[in-house]
Amino acid sequence: MNASDNNPLQTERETNGTILWLTGWSMPDAVFDRLRLLLPDFRHISVDYSAADSPEEMLCLTETAVKDMLGIEGSACRERVSRDPLLISGWSLGGLLALRLAAKGYVDGLVLFGATARFTRSKEEFDRGLADAYVRQMIKGILKDQHAVEANFRKIMFTEQEWEAGLAERLPHTGSWTTQSLLAGLQILRSEECLSQLPNIDCPVLLIHGTEDRICPYGAGLELSTQIPQAELITLTGYGHAPFLGKEVHIADEWRRWWHDHWKKSCCSTPI
């Protein structure tokens, strides 16, 4: 777990909470840097699972990070230890990990980009996910040519218009994840599902999803918005799987509006 203390504008007095960032498959945490700089009123923490040796270790790293921040051990539910709220922001794989933690009651809010409650789907649900065979093919490919698989994955992340606009060039270089961590992440995408837990997520959730997402289709975002009680969906028309790239100012403004509204309501409803 790494604190992102590179923002000189941030002080402890100004914080509106802590954001735990969970990045997407194969992506360095630095992909969030521009967005974080626009949210100086929050403290920023990241979980680095780019060297995880197994799916179990990846899941353990994220859950341990949250428990450490909350000051609890082995608890099955959230125990508030301070008034400082905890949010998790997850992208794709990170979104699935974030939903898993929220279902256990650990967080005060979620902000999810291109997220899904279940990545692999049946043929009848291809408007909400991909075939398991596609993920298995990626696993086989990684064992032969890791770089080629990562490069192909990035190709389908963006629309043609996004490529022309140079958004893909904003991504950090490939190769920051180990082979084992790439395989671990794909295994989680194959096996983890939070669909049955969505109605039990009782914190506010902000969903940001592109309509042209070919990895976690827009239907997955619609599904989350209808099944999570306090969900709000921001639709980005024409955007692909990285809806925050190139829209950081807009997203930071929407994020702050959304969180201030919810946190103000929460504080006002808390008995003195």
Side-chain angles (χ1 to χ4, degrees), residues 59-60 62-64 66-67 70 72 74-79 88 96-108 110 192-194 197-198 200-203:
L59 294 172
C60 182
T62 56
E63 186 157 339
T64 299
V66 171
K67 287 183 176 180
L70 299 176
I72 59 177
S75 176
C77 62
R78 171 77 196 265
E79 295 178 11
I88 298 182
L96 189 57
L97 296 172
L99 286 168
R100 181 175 179 271
L101 294 169
K104 294 188 176 186
Y106 288 138
V107 299
D108 296 296
L110 294 180
E192 194 70 24
E193 72 88 15
C194 297
Q197 297 298 317
L198 296 182
N200 300 325
I201 294 177
D202 61 359
C203 66

Side-chain angles (χ1 to χ4, degrees), residues 71-245:
I72 59 177
E73 294 183 11
S75 176
C77 62
R78 171 77 196 265
E79 295 178 11
R80 183 181 298 281
V81 295
S82 73
R83 288 297 301 160
D84 190 30
L86 172 62
L87 294 83
I88 298 182
S89 181
W91 174 30
S92 194
L93 168 63
L96 189 57
L97 296 172
L99 286 168
R100 181 175 179 271
L101 294 169
K104 294 188 176 186
Y106 288 138
V107 299
D108 296 296
L110 294 180
V111 179
L112 306 179
F113 303 105
T116 178
R118 182 171 185 173
F119 189 73
T120 57
R121 302 290 182 127
S122 64
K123 185 177 180 180
E124 294 74 26
E125 296 181 317
F126 280 174
D127 62 324
R128 284 167 276 174
L130 299 180
D132 184 63
Y134 180 84
V135 184
R136 295 200 309 270
Q137 185 179 9
M138 289 180 68
I139 291 174
K140 291 180 180 178
I142 285 173
L143 297 174
K144 296 178 181 179
D145 189 341
Q146 175 177 322
H147 174 73
V149 174
E150 288 191 70
N152 185 65
F153 180 74
R154 292 185 176 214
K155 285 181 181 179
I156 63 174
M157 283 176 55
F158 300 97
T159 65
E160 183 177 342
Q161 292 74 20
E162 288 175 321
W163 274 100
E164 292 174 355
L167 291 186
E169 298 172 6
R170 298 191 183 187
L171 289 178
H173 295 301
T174 60
S176 64
W177 284 39
T178 66
T179 300
Q180 288 303 314
S181 64
L182 291 173
L183 294 173
L186 290 175
Q187 291 294 357
I188 289 176
L189 290 174
R190 290 188 66 201
S191 61
E192 194 70 24
E193 72 88 15
C194 297
L195 279 172
S196 60
Q197 297 298 317
L198 296 182
N200 300 325
I201 294 177
D202 61 359
C203 66
V205 179
L206 181 63
L207 306 165
I208 300 166
H209 218 113
T211 58
E212 304 305 313
D213 192 331
R214 291 191 287 166
I215 294 174
C216 291
Y218 181 63
L222 291 174
E223 181 178 65
L224 291 172
S225 70
T226 57
Q227 296 198 33
I228 296 175
Q230 297 185 64
E232 176 183 338
L233 174 62
I234 294 178
T235 299
L236 296 182
T237 303
Y239 274 72
H241 189 55
F244 52 90
L245 289 180

